[in-house]
């Protein structure tokens, strides 16, 4: 059998299965556009980093003033992050952050994989990658990756289930209720 990729993470992910029946899967790179940072963060500028996220609910619990480096700006130009975009932390123990209108104006660390899901798929992609199975897949990808760029490339290649079009509206309402539940006021922190 001729294989293109013998990496342990790729082989492990291939052996895992999504728990849903009648699944149609597509790679994340087909369901979302990968965004690149367009600005920088100076010392003492508050920004959102993976450490800023609540590990249970995924909301932003504090802005970090320690991060320096390339970053994304939320809002403004079309190339900037926008509400509805997803931030995927490379630490699979953390949930994804679905950007909301209250994040406009924030600076975001380039440590996240920033995705702009195709029309109508933001909540679905958030839900699938934040689910227990999604975190398990992300964990296996992270273990077999040599660095952050390899983990991001592996995540973009990950095949995730896509819902039938007739069910998207019902699914979005349920996911919106789940995604909104853990949000509370954000705070600034020294971390």
């Amino acid at each position: 059998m001729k294989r293109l990729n013998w990496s342990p993470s790729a082989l492990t992910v291939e052996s895992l299965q999504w728990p849903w029946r009648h699944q149609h899967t597509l790679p994340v790179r087909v369901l979302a556009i990968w965004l690149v940072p367009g600005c920088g963060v100076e010392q003492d500028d508050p920004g959102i980093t993976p450490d800023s996220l609540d590990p249970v609910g995924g909301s932003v619990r504090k802005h970090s003033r320690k991060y320096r480096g390339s970053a994304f700006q939320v809002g403004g130009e079309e190339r900037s992050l926008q509400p509805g975009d997803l931030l995927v932390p490379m630490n699979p123990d953390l949930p994804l952050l679905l950007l909301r209108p209250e994040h406009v104006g924030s600076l975001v660390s380039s440590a996240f994989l920033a995705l702009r899901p195709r029309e109508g798929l933001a909540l679905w992609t958030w839900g699938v990658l934040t689910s227990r199975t999604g975190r398990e897949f992300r964990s296996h990808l992270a273990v077999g990756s040599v660095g952050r760029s390899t983990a991001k490339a592996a995540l973009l290649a990950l095949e995730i289930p896509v819902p039938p079009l007739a069910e998207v509206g019902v699914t979005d309402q349920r996911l919106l209720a789940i995604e909104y539940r853990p949000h509370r006021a954000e705070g600034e922190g020294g971390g």
Side-chain angles (χ1 to χ4, degrees):
M1 171 189 223
K2 185 175 179 182
R3 299 194 56 83
L4 296 176
N5 189 348
W6 283 98
S7 89
S9 64
L11 294 172
T12 303
V13 168
E14 285 177 14
S15 70
L16 297 172
Q17 295 291 318
W18 292 99
W20 303 296
R21 284 182 264 153
H22 310 293
Q23 60 189 321
H24 172 65
T25 62
L26 288 171
V28 171
R29 72 174 168 274
V30 171
L31 302 172
I33 299 167
W34 176 25
L35 304 170
V36 295
C39 64
V41 174
E42 300 293 325
Q43 187 173 4
D44 295 333
D45 287 340
I48 299 172
T49 66
D51 290 338
S52 302
L53 299 181
D54 179 340
V56 176
S59 62
V60 178
R61 39 177 196 173
K62 68 182 185 296
H63 285 81
S64 173
R65 291 189 170 272
K66 292 183 179 179
Y67 178 75
R68 285 187 284 170
S70 60
F72 301 93
Q73 175 80 46
V74 182
E77 300 177 15
E78 185 179 323
R79 294 181 341 178
S80 302
L81 291 175
Q82 302 296 327
D85 289 346
L86 295 174
L87 299 177
V88 184
M90 293 297 93
N91 176 350
D93 295 330
L94 293 172
L96 280 65
L97 177 63
L98 177 64
L99 290 174
R100 308 169 63 78
E102 56 264 26
H103 296 122
V104 171
S106 297
L107 294 169
V108 176
S109 162
S110 63
F112 289 101
L113 172 63
L115 299 173
R116 177 159 298 145
R118 304 280 181 200
E119 184 80 27
L121 290 174
L123 280 168
W124 178 259
T125 305
W126 171 85
V128 169
L129 292 176
T130 299
S131 71
R132 182 180 308 140
T133 305
R135 287 185 187 196
E136 187 176 332
F137 273 86
R138 290 171 45 218
S139 178
H140 287 292
L141 291 174
V143 167
S145 298
V146 176
R148 191 180 313 166
S149 61
T150 307
K152 288 180 178 181
L155 188 66
L156 288 168
L158 178 64
E159 298 255 344
I160 66 170
V162 180
L165 291 177
E167 296 176 9
V168 171
V170 174
T171 303
D172 278 358
Q173 292 306 314
R174 290 180 188 152
L175 287 172
L176 190 57
I178 293 168
E179 190 276 335
Y180 188 75
R181 204 176 309 154
H183 291 278
R184 53 181 197 237
E186 296 178 10
E188 270 191 32

